[in-house]
Amino acid sequence: MVATAEGPIVSSSGLRVLPDMILDRGAPVAFDTLLIAGAPHLGDGPVDPALLDWLRQSALRNRRFGSVCSGALVLAATGLLDGRRVTTHWAVAEQLARQFPEVRVEVDALHVRDGPLRTAAGVTAGLDLALVEEDLGREIAKKVASQLVMFFKRPGGQLQFSRRGEANPVGRSTLQEIQRWVIANPAMDASLAALATRAGLSPRHFARLFRQEIGSTPSVWVETVRVAAARAMLEAGERPKQAAAACGFGDIDTFRRAFQRQVGITPAEYRRRYETVGAA
């Protein structure tokens, strides 16, 4: 554990961690593996230039380097991720891709290996990454997984855990009213023509205004909202066919394709994740 200053490191939950060493900004250090941990609001402000210089000098001296969760935002600021495949927590994946367009962000991946680089999506995805199999072999990795009571290989990607589509309405008041109506009535007609009529605009003008202020086409946004509504129903125990009908999908196949596109697994698989132990 490396700190940038003397004293304990205070985590976001209040836990205090004593560092093993204090970063000497003028002296790069070679470790076997160097990982940058994430933290809430890590990407909200600039990163200390001296820290970035130290990382640039130190990272490539190691056998491996990488990040867990939003730590990718710090590592990307060094330029070491340019042209590489990486993942990060779904909540900051768009921010990472926007701020660092040279980085190839894999939004749904739990963890990614690219040469000496290792990145993981979130805290528990850091356990999935773990590097145990890579260093000690498959059998020992299986034993570790069994001791930790966790999947040896977790099914699906990280989008099954994301909460995309649950953001508050944004944009001018007319568009916010449309968004609130769709969220409250996911089964109603939400075609471009129907929404434009409700907004009192021509379809062409409505589509252009929506994309400009919301950052998405109306059809993509509506699908995202409907999938989010269906997820809530599946989590409550509703069956996929009923969830599809209640959330405005014309048929179960259309629902299944949309759900897999956004969540990465089928509605039936997703529902099973939330089944109560002992339920029929």
Side-chain angles (χ1 to χ4, degrees):
M1 185 72 70
V2 183
T4 58
E6 297 284 350
I9 301 168
V10 182
S11 73
S12 59
S13 64
L15 181 69
R16 293 172 178 267
V17 182
L18 291 176
D20 298 294
M21 62 178 290
I22 306 302
L23 181 149
D24 182 348
R25 303 186 182 202
V29 178
F31 301 102
D32 178 79
T33 305
L34 174 65
L35 294 176
I36 311 302
H41 313 297
L42 190 61
D44 291 353
V47 183
D48 184 347
L51 172 60
L52 295 180
D53 286 340
W54 184 88
L55 287 172
R56 289 188 193 98
Q57 296 179 62
S58 298
L60 297 180
R61 291 172 174 258
N62 305 296
R63 183 164 65 95
R64 290 176 300 218
F65 69 98
S67 61
V68 176
C69 196
S70 58
L73 290 167
V74 174
L75 202 53
T78 67
L80 294 171
L81 303 189
D82 289 356
R84 292 190 176 276
R85 296 166 45 250
V86 308
T87 192
T88 188
H89 194 283
W90 61 266
V92 297
E94 290 185 4
Q95 178 185 353
L96 178 63
R98 182 176 62 253
Q99 289 185 350
F100 305 99
E102 298 302 316
V103 178
R104 298 158 56 191
V105 182
E106 298 193 5
V107 178
D108 192 35
L110 289 169
H111 50 83
V112 172
R113 290 170 166 80
D114 186 340
L117 176 66
R118 307 289 184 271
T119 52
V123 176
T124 55
L127 295 178
D128 291 310
L129 174 64
L131 308 173
V132 177
E133 182 179 9
E134 185 174 327
D135 287 352
L136 301 175
R138 189 178 185 85
E139 291 307 312
I140 291 180
K142 284 182 178 180
K143 290 179 180 178
V144 170
S146 67
Q147 288 295 318
L148 294 178
V149 195
M150 63 180 287
F151 286 111
F152 175 67
K153 179 176 175 56
R154 197 184 332 188
Q158 66 162 316
L159 291 185
Q160 61 188 295
F161 305 103
S162 76
R163 291 294 166 184
R164 298 187 309 169
E166 298 183 1
N168 293 325
V170 296
R172 64 186 64 188
S173 59
T174 300
L175 295 182
Q176 288 194 30
E177 289 177 10
I178 295 295
Q179 292 169 75
R180 292 191 186 95
W181 181 82
V182 173
I183 292 170
N185 304 278
M188 299 293 286
D189 181 8
S191 63
L192 174 60
L195 296 182
T197 298
R198 180 170 287 275
L201 302 170
S202 70
R204 183 175 181 179
H205 181 50
F206 176 78
R208 181 171 54 81
L209 191 64
F210 195 95
R211 186 175 191 116
Q212 177 182 317
E213 298 202 12
I214 312 304
S216 169
T217 65
S219 62
V220 169
W221 184 86
V222 167
E223 180 183 281
T224 301
V225 168
R226 285 175 167 170
V227 167
R231 288 176 64 168
M233 294 185 68
L234 294 171
E235 290 168 10
E238 194 62 80
R239 296 190 177 278
K241 189 172 182 179
Q242 284 68 43
C247 296
F249 292 96
D251 56 73
I252 190 66
D253 289 334
T254 301
F255 174 49
R256 186 181 297 110
R257 287 193 297 271
F259 199 91
Q260 284 190 280
R261 182 163 51 246
Q262 293 198 30
V263 185
I265 58 176
T266 67
E269 290 173 319
Y270 188 82
R271 179 178 181 270
R272 283 196 290 273
R273 305 285 169 85
Y274 290 88
E275 285 180 343
T276 302
V277 175

